[in-house]
Amino acid sequence: MASFIKDKIIGTWKLVSWQYEGENGEIIDYLGEKPVGVLMYDENGLMNAQLMRSSRPNFAQEAISGGTLEEMGQAFGSYLAYFGSYIEKEPGAIVHTVIGSLFPNWIGHQETRYGQIEGDNLILSTPPIPALGRDIVFYIRWQRVTGQQLAAEYAILSSVIQEHN
């Protein structure tokens, strides 16, 4: 019998992978081989998810609203972010009620994720989601981290990304 995991997911998680199965059965990394992200669940039932491709190009201009349509499209397509509340309706079925999202169609919706804990990892899967012209089941692997671990790791990553740009 499956057990509830809500108390076990409270905390901060860093993104390890976001994958799906291609039409020929191959495993595809949706945001590339080394995605960057953070998922937070708190004891009050609030959650936040930020996921991005690690090699995102800068806009030509420094103004936050200064991107071309192509730059903005690339930025939107390489980042997913949303926040809201969560409950576990049944063992392992985590329902996110989306309050705010980069993808506006999710605002006000409930997004179900099926979770399981494996050591320091949280593996979430989705029901079929319309993406890339078909319905896809995504598998997102997260690793538990402390705030200090996350800050240190992403400080190093940030310097590598800046060198890339």
Side-chain angles (χ1 to χ4, degrees):
M1 180 174 169
S3 60
F4 284 89
I5 63 171
K6 182 179 180 195
D7 292 340
K8 296 176 184 173
I9 66 172
I10 293 171
T12 302
W13 305 83
K14 77 170 186 169
L15 181 61
V16 174
S17 64
W18 182 2
Q19 300 176 322
Y20 66 97
E21 189 175 308
E23 294 180 284
N24 298 319
E26 72 279 20
I27 300 300
I28 299 171
D29 292 300
Y30 188 71
L31 288 176
E33 290 183 19
K34 296 183 180 178
V36 177
V38 64
L39 172 65
M40 297 177 181
Y41 289 108
D42 77 11
E43 62 278 351
N44 298 312
L46 299 174
M47 60 77 55
N48 171 34
Q50 309 277 327
L51 304 89
M52 71 176 208
R53 184 176 297 278
S54 63
S55 56
R56 300 173 76 223
N58 288 344
F59 288 4
Q61 296 183 21
E62 289 298 316
I64 195 168
S65 61
T68 65
L69 288 177
E70 182 179 342
E71 289 171 329
M72 290 187 288
Q74 286 178 347
F76 182 88
S78 63
Y79 200 102
L80 177 70
Y82 68 97
F83 65 93
S85 62
Y86 73 97
I87 60 169
E88 186 174 13
K89 282 197 170 180
E90 55 190 65
I94 309 298
V95 179
H96 300 161
T97 299
V98 180
I99 296 170
S101 176
L102 178 64
F103 180 54
N105 297 34
W106 278 6
I107 297 171
H109 285 206
Q110 291 189 331
E111 295 294 324
T112 300
R113 303 294 178 259
Y114 303 105
Q116 60 186 43
I117 303 285
E118 293 180 2
D120 282 344
N121 289 280
L122 170 63
I123 295 89
L124 296 177
S125 61
T126 68
I129 293 177
L132 305 172
R134 62 190 180 98
D135 287 346
I136 295 176
V137 174
F138 290 101
Y139 299 91
I140 307 103
R141 178 177 291 272
W142 302 90
Q143 182 180 30
R144 186 182 295 281
V145 293
T146 66
Q148 289 177 332
Q149 288 171 319
L150 192 66
E153 184 169 325
Y154 286 161
I156 293 167
L157 178 62
S158 180
S159 66
V160 170
I161 291 171
Q162 290 305 317
E163 289 173 14
H164 175 274
N165 289 324

